[in-house]
Amino acid sequence: MIVILGLGGVLVVLVLAVVASYNRFVRQHQLIDNAWANVDTELRRRYDLIPNLVETVRGYAHHERAALEALTQARSQAAESNGSPATQAADENVLVSALRGLLAVAEAYPDLEANEGFLDLQRQLVATEDRIQAARRFYNNNVRDYNTRVQSIPANLVARAFRFNEREYFDIDEALATASAPTASFDH
C-alpha cells in the first residue's frame, strides 16, 4: 500500500512538473510574439518616415534619382516582408544600406542639411533606429532564453512532446552591425 501511495505521489509530482514546464513554454512563446510585435511596430514607424525623407531630399537633390529610387524600392520590399525574422532581417539590411546611401547624398547639399524639416526627419530617424535596436535586443534575449529551455534537460522532453521548437533570432548583417547608426547633425 505504501509503495502504491509513493508511486502515486511521484506520478502527481511528475505531472505537475510537466504542466508547470508547459505553462512556462506558453508564457515564453507569448513573450517572444509580443517582442516581435514591438520590433515590427518600430520598423513600421521607420517605413512611415522614409517617404517624407525622400520627398525632402528630392526637393533639393533633383539629380540624385538613383539613391531615391533605391531607398523607395528597399522600403517597399521591407514593408511588405512578413516572413520569418531571418527574411525580415535580410530585407532590413537592404533598406538600411539604401538609407545610409541617401543620407550620404544629403551631405553634399548644405542647404538640405540646414533645412529644419530634414533635420527633424533625421532626429526622428535616429530615435527610431535606437528604438528598433532596443526592441531587437529585447526580442533576441527572449528568443535566447526560450531556445535555451527548448534545448535543456528535462525541459527539452516537454518541448519535444508538445512541439515547442526553437525560434529564429532577428539578426542584422555584420557589416551593418559594426557600422554606426545614421546620425543627425544639430550644429547648423
Side-chain angles (χ1 to χ4, degrees), residues 2-188:
I2 293 176
V3 172
I4 294 174
L5 287 176
L7 287 176
V10 168
L11 185 61
V12 167
V13 168
L14 200 59
V15 167
L16 290 175
V18 168
V19 167
S21 183
Y22 176 86
N23 288 339
R24 186 167 174 208
F25 273 118
V26 169
R27 278 191 307 277
Q28 284 182 299
H29 196 271
Q30 294 299 320
L31 188 60
I32 289 170
D33 288 345
N34 180 268
W36 181 251
N38 290 338
V39 169
D40 188 56
T41 297
E42 295 306 328
L43 293 175
R44 300 279 168 216
R45 177 176 163 68
R46 179 171 58 191
Y47 303 154
D48 292 343
L49 286 172
I50 288 173
N52 296 332
L53 187 64
V54 167
E55 286 306 312
T56 303
V57 172
R58 183 175 283 143
Y60 283 86
H62 300 289
H63 61 282
E64 302 293 351
R65 185 175 177 165
L68 296 170
E69 287 177 358
L71 180 58
T72 300
Q73 182 179 0
R75 177 204 174 267
S76 294
Q77 182 178 343
E80 291 172 7
S81 181
N82 55 8
S84 68
T87 302
Q88 184 75 45
D91 292 337
E92 289 301 314
N93 289 335
V94 173
L95 175 65
V96 170
S97 292
L99 187 56
R100 288 184 193 282
L102 181 70
L103 293 176
V105 164
E107 291 175 4
Y109 297 90
D111 291 343
L112 174 59
E113 285 198 312
N115 177 285
E116 192 58 40
F118 182 74
L119 291 174
D120 183 52
L121 287 169
Q122 273 191 316
R123 285 183 202 111
Q124 289 181 50
L125 186 60
V126 168
T128 299
E129 292 297 328
D130 290 344
R131 286 195 298 270
I132 289 170
Q133 293 308 314
R136 186 179 67 83
R137 280 191 303 274
F138 182 69
Y139 171 81
N140 284 341
N141 286 340
N142 284 305
V143 169
R144 181 202 60 225
D145 293 345
Y146 176 84
N147 287 348
T148 299
R149 282 203 66 234
V150 167
Q151 296 173 5
S152 299
I153 296 174
N156 67 341
L157 301 173
V158 174
R160 241 183 266 137
F162 293 102
R163 295 187 179 124
F164 288 107
N165 299 315
E166 290 185 39
R167 299 290 293 264
E168 288 184 69
Y169 289 97
F170 182 50
D171 290 326
I172 58 171
D173 185 30
E174 190 59 35
L176 294 173
T178 57
S180 62
T183 59
S185 175
F186 303 114
D187 56 352
H188 291 285

